[in-house]
Amino acid sequence: MTTAAVGSTETGWSAVAGWVLRLRGWLTVLPLAGLCAGLSAQALGRADVAAAAWTLATLAVLAVLATQVVISLTRGDVGLDLVALLSMGGALVLSQPLAGAVIALMYAGGQSLEAYAAGRAGRAMTALIARQPRTALREEAGALTEVPLAALVPGDRILVRVGDVLPVDGRVAAGRAMLDRSSLTGEALPVAFEADDAVLSGSVNVGTPFKLLAERLAADSTYAGIIRLVEAAQASKAPMARMADRYGLAFLGLTLLLAGGAWAATGDAVRALAVLVVATPCPLILAVPVALVSALSRAAGIGVLIKGGGALETLAKIRVLVVDKTGTLTHGTARLTSARALAPFGEAEALRLAASLDQASGHPIARALVEEARRHGLGLSQPTKVTESPGEGVSGWVEGRHALVGGPRLMQIHGVRFPPADGAQRVAAAAATVLVAVEGAPVAVLEFSDPLRNDGGGTLAALRACGIERVVLATGDRRAVAEALVAGLPVDAVAADLDPAAKTGTVAAERRNGPVMMVGDGVNDAPALAAADLGVALGARGAAAAAEAADVVLLVDSLAPLPEAIRIARRARAIALQSVWVGLGLSLSGMVAAALGYLTPLQGALLQEAIDVAVILNAMRVLGGWAAREPSAQGVPQAT
C-alpha cells in the first residue's frame, strides 16, 4: 500500500472515530429507551414486541461498540471492549434479549460515567487551553487593528480590554494593570502591576483597559509554553496506565478461558455468557485514567503543572531532593542586609552618595543599591565622569566629590585603605560586600545577600513530612555563603562552587540514595533537571530552558505548592491501585460465581455495573478531601 493510501486510510478511521465519540454522548439514551419500551410491552402481554425492542436497543449499542473495536484493532490495540462486544453478541445469539439490553445500558452508562469523571477531573487543565486567545488589538498608526497572535512581534503596543487574556509576555506600557492570575498560579486575589512592570501572558485583565508592550512572540510566550505542556500531559500515557493495558490483556485471556471452561464443563453457553457479562467493563480501564487525570487537574489548580501521568507517578516515589539556591531557595535578587558608615559620614549620607554613583551601572548589585536608597526616600544626584571596571566597581564624580563604589581591588588601585576588619575578611564572609570611598577616604561597608525565601524553611520541613528522606543544596556560590544560608534548616548536604556539569554530577551521585527530584530555575539548571528522575522548574520567572527540561513546572514564584503536589501524587497512586485491585477482586469473584451457575447474565450485568460505579467514585476521591481546599490553604502565595 502506498504512503498516500495509508494516510487516506488513517484519515478515514480518524473521521469514523470522531463520529463514534460524538455518538457516545447519546449512547445511553438508546438502550434506556429500548429497555423501557420492552418492559412496557411485556407488561401488556406483548412478549414479541418486548423482545424486538430489547434486541434493537442492543444492536444500536453493539454497532457503535463494534466500530470502536475495529478502530482499536487497526491501531494494534486489543482492548477489553472486546469482552463487551462478545457479551452483547452472545446475549442476542442465545436469545437473551433482556440481558442484552441491560448489558448495553450498563456498558453505555459506564462509558458516560467515565467520560463525565474524566471531564470533571480535567476541568482545570482544559480550561487553560479553552482560554487561549486567538487575536489581539494592535496599535497601528494611531488606530487599533485586530490581528492574529502569530502577527505580533516584540515592540508592538497592544490594547488589553477588561476581561481579555494577555496574549503575549510584555510590560505595562502606561498606567496600572490589575490582573487575575488564578488560572495560572492559583492566587486567589488579583495583582496590581505599575507602568514598566513585567506581566505574563495568560493573565486576565480585571481592572481598566491598558496598553501592553510585547516583548516576545506569541509562540515563545509563557502561556503558549504552558499550553504545549498541558497538551503533552494530556496526550502522554502513564506507566500505571500501560501496566493496566498489560494486565488488561491478561484479564481478557483469563475471562475467555473461564467462560470457555464453564461452557466446556457444563455444556451451558449461558454460563459462559454470564462470565463475559460480569467482566464488562473492567476496573482496569476505568480506575487508573480517572485517578491520574483527577490528580493532574488538582495539581494544576494549585499552580503545579505536571507533564503527564508518568511524571505524576515518579513524583509519588521521590525520596531525595536536590535544590538549587539562587532564584529557587532564595529570591535571586540581592538585598542590602548591613550598612556600616565610617566617621564622619552617617549611614544615610553614605548610602545616598553610593547609590547616586551606581545609577550609572547596570550591575545587579548596583541596581539593588539604588532601589534601597529610593526605598529610604533618599534624593539621588546625577553622577558625572563615570568609569566602570567590570568585576571591580565604579568610579566617578558626585556633587563635586570623587567617589568609588566597588570591591577591595578597586580600592587598592586608588590607594584607599579600609580597616582590616572592614576589608577583605568581611568580603569573604558575605554574599556580596561593597566598599564606598569619597575623596580617597573610606566611607562605608555595605553587605548584600540573596536571602532565603520567607517560605523556604517551612517548605523544606513540609517536604520532609511528605517523605523526602534527604535534602541536598546544589549551588555555584561559595561554600561559606551556602552553608550560612541553610544553617538550621533540614538540609543534609551542601554542594558548592558547582558549574552546570558538576551540578548534573551531583544529581547522578544522589541516585544511590533513592529517586531524585531536582528543583531549579535557571538555564544552568536545565542539564541537572533533565538528568534527575524528576525535574521541577519554577516557571513563573524562571528560564524557558529550565521549564522545557523539567517534568513539573511550578507556575507560582514559590516552592510552597510542591509538598501539596507530592501528597496529591501519592494519594492518586494509592487510590488508583486500590481501585484496580479491589475492583478486579470483586469482578473475578463474580466471574467465578457466574461460571458455577450462581449468577444469571442479567444478575451479572447488575453486579458489574455496581462494581464499575464504585470504582469510578473511589478514583474520583482524588479530587476530594484535603485537595478541595482553597489555594491559600495549600501554601500558594496570595496577592496583597
Side-chain angles (χ1 to χ4, degrees), residues 590-602:
M591 290 162 61
V592 171
L596 295 175
Y598 294 114
L599 288 176
T600 66
L602 181 58

Side-chain angles (χ1 to χ4, degrees), residues 397-618:
W397 293 79
V398 178
E399 300 174 355
R401 290 178 287 182
H402 187 255
L404 303 171
V405 179
R409 180 166 172 75
L410 182 68
M411 300 302 157
Q412 291 173 4
I413 292 173
H414 290 270
V416 180
R417 294 180 177 274
F418 276 76
D422 295 319
Q425 292 178 4
R426 292 189 68 89
V427 172
T433 300
V434 174
L435 306 177
V436 183
V438 176
E439 296 291 4
V443 167
V445 178
L446 309 177
E447 292 185 357
F448 291 82
S449 66
D450 183 10
L452 184 73
R453 291 177 181 269
N454 294 335
D455 57 6
T459 300
L460 290 180
L463 288 168
R464 285 283 200 187
C466 287
I468 301 296
E469 298 168 355
R470 179 173 169 83
V471 178
V472 178
L473 176 66
T475 177
D477 279 353
R478 301 189 307 275
R479 176 168 293 277
V481 173
E483 289 179 343
L485 179 76
V486 298
L489 297 181
V491 174
D492 297 285
V494 173
D497 300 304
L498 302 179
D499 59 19
K503 192 174 289 187
T504 303
T506 299
V507 169
E510 287 297 329
R511 276 213 177 94
R512 66 179 182 272
N513 297 310
V516 177
M517 173 171 65
M518 167 69 195
V519 183
D521 77 317
V523 174
N524 63 325
D525 296 323
L529 291 170
D533 295 294
L534 187 84
V536 179
L538 270 73
R541 293 193 305 173
E548 290 293 331
D551 304 292
V552 176
V553 179
L554 303 181
L555 301 180
V556 293
D557 188 27
S558 170
L559 297 179
L562 194 53
E564 188 77 353
I566 292 176
R567 285 191 288 269
I568 289 172
R570 290 184 176 170
R571 178 179 169 87
R573 187 171 186 272
I575 286 176
L577 290 174
Q578 178 192 80
S579 297
V580 165
W581 296 122
V582 172
L584 278 179
L586 292 173
S587 293
L588 288 172
S589 299
M591 290 162 61
V592 171
L596 295 175
Y598 294 114
L599 288 176
T600 66
L602 181 58
Q603 292 169 336
L606 295 173
L607 172 64
Q608 187 56 46
E609 181 63 14
I611 294 172
D612 294 337
V613 170
V615 162
I616 290 176
L617 292 179
N618 187 59

Side-chain angles (χ1 to χ4, degrees), residues 272-301:
L273 175 61
V275 172
L276 294 175
V277 168
V278 175
T280 309
C282 172
L284 276 168
I285 62 176
L286 298 177
V288 173
V290 171
L292 294 184
V293 172
S294 296
L296 293 175
S297 178
R298 190 63 213 148

Side-chain angles (χ1 to χ4, degrees), residues 122-492:
R123 197 170 297 158
M125 297 183 74
T126 54
L128 286 171
I129 298 176
R131 292 172 58 257
Q132 186 177 21
R134 302 285 182 246
T135 61
L137 287 176
R138 183 170 64 188
E139 193 176 83
E140 296 178 356
L144 293 174
T145 304
E146 188 167 6
V147 298
L149 292 194
L152 297 177
V153 296
D156 282 348
R157 291 173 67 90
I158 302 162
L159 175 65
V160 183
R161 298 165 297 189
V162 178
D164 281 356
V165 177
L166 273 63
V168 294
D169 295 343
R171 293 186 178 275
V172 179
R176 191 169 187 262
M178 185 67 69
L179 302 180
D180 176 5
R181 305 192 300 175
S182 59
S183 61
L184 296 178
T185 67
E187 292 172 297
L189 299 177
V191 182
F193 294 87
E194 305 297 336
D196 202 42
D197 281 349
V199 290
L200 297 179
S201 55
S203 306
V204 180
N205 181 19
V206 295
T208 57
F210 70 94
K211 296 289 182 64
L212 172 70
L213 180 65
E215 291 188 330
R216 290 187 185 180
L217 297 173
D220 298 331
S221 290
T222 301
Y223 195 53
I226 290 173
I227 295 298
R228 288 193 293 271
L229 296 179
V230 169
E231 290 173 341
Q234 292 179 326
S236 68
K237 201 165 193 180
M240 190 181 295
R242 290 192 289 269
M243 176 200 75
D245 290 342
R246 290 194 300 271
Y247 285 123
L249 289 175
F251 185 82
L252 173 61
L254 178 61
T255 299
L256 296 176
L257 182 63
L258 191 57
W263 190 357
T266 64
D268 185 2
V270 175
R271 288 199 185 187
L273 175 61
V275 172
L276 294 175
V277 168
V278 175
T280 309
C282 172
L284 276 168
I285 62 176
L286 298 177
V288 173
V290 171
L292 294 184
V293 172
S294 296
L296 293 175
S297 178
R298 190 63 213 148
I302 62 169
V304 180
L305 185 58
I306 302 174
K307 298 182 184 179
L312 182 79
E313 286 192 59
T314 304
L315 181 60
K317 302 174 184 176
I318 289 300
R319 289 292 178 269
V320 179
L321 168 66
V322 177
V323 60
D324 173 53
K325 183 183 80 69
T326 305
T328 304
L329 203 55
T330 68
H331 290 278
T333 55
R335 296 183 183 180
L336 182 66
T337 55
S338 172
R340 294 183 62 256
L342 305 176
F345 285 86
E347 182 179 311
E349 180 65 5
L351 181 59
R352 188 184 70 82
L353 291 173
S356 295
L357 181 59
D358 261 353
Q359 290 178 105
S361 173
H363 194 278
I365 297 295
R367 289 199 299 268
L369 178 55
V370 172
E371 289 175 6
E372 184 70 20
R374 287 174 175 163
R375 262 198 303 272
H376 284 77
L378 303 178
L380 304 184
S381 302
Q382 188 70 28
T384 59
K385 299 180 181 178
V386 178
T387 301
E388 183 167 8
S389 303
E392 296 176 2
V394 181
S395 63
W397 293 79
V398 178
E399 300 174 355
R401 290 178 287 182
H402 187 255
L404 303 171
V405 179
R409 180 166 172 75
L410 182 68
M411 300 302 157
Q412 291 173 4
I413 292 173
H414 290 270
V416 180
R417 294 180 177 274
F418 276 76
D422 295 319
Q425 292 178 4
R426 292 189 68 89
V427 172
T433 300
V434 174
L435 306 177
V436 183
V438 176
E439 296 291 4
V443 167
V445 178
L446 309 177
E447 292 185 357
F448 291 82
S449 66
D450 183 10
L452 184 73
R453 291 177 181 269
N454 294 335
D455 57 6
T459 300
L460 290 180
L463 288 168
R464 285 283 200 187
C466 287
I468 301 296
E469 298 168 355
R470 179 173 169 83
V471 178
V472 178
L473 176 66
T475 177
D477 279 353
R478 301 189 307 275
R479 176 168 293 277
V481 173
E483 289 179 343
L485 179 76
V486 298
L489 297 181
V491 174
D492 297 285

